[in-house]
Each structure stands twice: as structure tokens, then as C-alpha cells.
Amino acid sequence: MMYLILFLMIFAVVQSEENAGSCKDMLQGFLTGQLSSVLGGYQVETMRREFKNVTDIIEKSIKELKGNVETKMRNIKSTSNGSAIYTRWGKKSCPVGAQLVLSGYVGGSHYTHTGAAVEPLCLPKNPEWGIYRDGTDGAKAYIYGAEYETNELFGKWHSLYQHDVPCSVCLVRGRSVVQMFPGRKTCDNGWKLEYHGYLMAGYHGHNAGTTYKCVDSDPESLQGSLTNNNGYLFYMVEAICGSLKCPPYVEGREFVCAVCSLEN
């Protein structure tokens, strides 16, 4: 008889949550009806209470397991939707909806060096070191800080002249691609604007090669960074007509830019 009861208990566990109540009622009915013919009322009541305690524990475990499975499925779905990462030049923070990965300093090669690295870097505020020897010596590459070269510009840009440039690395979830679009300050349908700004690069007469970067339209600077140390320099980018079609472009007009992410 006890084996039969155990079998019925296992059967109740594997049923759906909607049928759990009816299974319990059926088993309790079996206990009170069938066993009452051979056992006294006291023994039957005791077994009924013990059986209810066991089934309550099992139901609680099933609900917890279901909750854990649903949470893991949501995490898997979120991960499968993809993530994208980008650098926000000229800002210490990320836009709303983006997760800050790193807030740091822009660094790069010196503007006069013919062997300069082209790309600037977003350097962390808490660097770590491996094997090193202090002092500049031997055949090496160098990283300098970066400055705004905006003396001839307008408003806030003029006040940032010679200040050092911050940066932030941002993570957006549910995105497959992040792209910078020069000559635009809005994004096309299906794309989400992360930030917009002005296109900046190195001065055309300097030795070092540079790349175009989209610097935020509301730029910030690093505290106490007014000293003119030069290094990697950011200048506004203007349109030059000729092989560049004018219109739609305009001679001498500063380029805007937008950084957009593709929504999944």
C-alpha cells in the first residue's frame, strides 16, 4: 500500500501547476477513503497531515525551480539579442540607456611625430603595469594626452582651448552595431541616437596622421587641464569644395556627426 502512495505522490509532482490541486485532492481522497477501512481515523489523519506537508514542500520547490528557469531564459534572450560598445569622445559619462564601462583620458601620439600611431585611445584612470623600467629610453612609441585646439571657434568650444580631453567607453544592450555618421546629427529609422557632436581630427599641416572622431556637442574637459602641453590635438573639420560636391556641402563649414546604434 505504501508503495502505491509513493507512486501517486511522484505522479503528482510531474503534473502541471494547474493540475496540482486536483491531484492533491484525489490523493487525499484516496488516503481518507481507502485507508479508513483498514486503519483507524487517527492514523489516517496523521498520514493526511504528513502527506500535505510533503506535497506543500514539493510545490514550493517546483515554483522556485520555475522561477529560476524563467530568469535564466530571460538572461539568455537578452544575451542573444547582442550588445555593442563605443567610445564617447569629449565626455566623462555615457548617454541615458548606455552602461558606463570606463571613464578616462584621451591619449595618443604627438602631433609632430612622423611615426605616430593614427588612432587615439581612451585610457583608464586606474592603469595597471606589467614588466617595466622607468625613464624614456631606447626605441619606443609614446602616448601623450590630448587637447582641444579650438581657439578660433565659438561659445563653449572657445573656452575649452588647450584643455585636456576626457572620454568614456559605453555599452548598449540589444544592439548589434554602433556606427559614426559624419555630416549627420540625427539617425535614420531603425537606428537609435547615442550622441551627436562635431567631427574632429588633427591639423592638416602636422606630421602625425590622425583619424576622424565624433566629439560630443556638449564637450567637457579634465579638471586642472588648461596647461598647453600639446600631444594629440583635436581640431574641427571643415568641408573643402572640389572633388567634394558643393552643394550639398558648403566650403569652410564645420562638419557635424552622429553616433547611432542599430536596434535589434
Side-chain angles (χ1 to χ4, degrees):
M1 181 64 69
M2 294 305 297
Y3 288 113
L4 177 59
I5 295 173
L6 180 60
F7 169 78
L8 292 173
M9 289 173 61
I10 296 173
F11 176 78
V13 171
V14 299
Q15 296 303 302
S16 64
E17 194 170 318
E18 292 78 6
N19 296 330
S22 61
C23 289
K24 184 191 297 184
D25 293 341
M26 179 183 68
L27 289 171
Q28 288 176 343
F30 174 85
L31 284 174
T32 55
Q34 298 297 323
L35 292 181
S36 60
S37 61
V38 294
L39 298 175
Y42 174 79
Q43 290 88 346
V44 171
E45 179 62 23
T46 300
M47 291 185 66
R48 188 189 67 78
R49 287 196 301 268
E50 291 178 353
F51 175 76
K52 184 178 184 302
N53 291 336
V54 172
T55 54
D56 288 344
I57 292 173
I58 293 173
E59 287 180 2
K60 182 179 179 181
S61 299
I62 291 174
K63 289 180 180 179
E64 292 177 352
L65 177 61
K66 181 180 177 182
N68 292 336
V69 170
E70 289 176 347
T71 300
K72 290 180 179 179
M73 290 301 294
R74 285 194 297 267
N75 292 338
I76 292 172
K77 183 178 180 181
S78 175
T79 303
S80 64
N81 285 339
S83 300
I85 196 166
Y86 64 89
T87 301
R88 189 184 192 190
W89 304 99
K91 294 293 281 188
K92 303 171 185 176
S93 60
C94 294
V96 175
Q99 177 183 338
L100 180 66
V101 178
L102 182 152
S103 180
Y105 321 126
V106 178
S109 293
H110 198 277
Y111 72 100
T112 62
H113 292 178
T114 56
V118 175
E119 288 280 355
L121 301 171
C122 190
L123 302 173
K125 296 178 181 178
N126 55 339
E128 299 174 336
W129 308 100
I131 299 173
Y132 63 88
R133 182 175 63 187
D134 290 337
T136 54
D137 57 341
K140 307 286 177 62
Y142 299 118
I143 290 181
Y144 296 80
E147 291 182 351
Y148 296 107
E149 296 295 324
T150 53
N151 186 43
E152 299 177 357
L153 295 177
F154 36 83
K156 187 173 184 177
W157 289 101
H158 178 79
S159 66
L160 288 174
Y161 176 58
Q162 304 292 14
H163 282 255
D164 297 340
V165 185
C167 56
S168 57
V169 177
C170 306
L171 173 70
V172 283
R173 301 188 186 277
R175 304 286 189 270
S176 55
V177 176
V178 174
Q179 178 66 35
M180 187 271 283
F181 294 92
R184 301 282 296 179
K185 56 182 181 182
T186 59
C187 301
D188 290 337
N189 291 337
W191 294 76
K192 179 183 180 297
L193 179 67
E194 297 296 327
Y195 74 94
H196 65 86
Y198 286 88
L199 200 64
M200 304 190 82
Y203 179 66
H204 70 88
H206 289 163
N207 291 327
T210 61
T211 57
Y212 296 112
K213 296 300 178 186
C214 189
V215 179
D216 198 273
S217 60
D218 183 26
E220 299 173 319
S221 64
L222 298 174
Q223 186 175 2
S225 63
L226 180 57
T227 305
N228 181 21
N229 291 318
N230 289 317
Y232 191 99
L233 306 181
F234 281 88
Y235 291 82
M236 285 283 184
V237 176
E238 294 180 348
I240 302 297
C241 295
S243 54
L244 180 64
K245 305 304 179 186
C246 298
Y249 294 97
V250 179
E251 179 84 17
R253 184 173 293 182
E254 287 79 12
F255 269 83
V256 294
C257 54
V259 174
C260 306
S261 59
L262 183 62
E263 297 180 304
N264 290 331

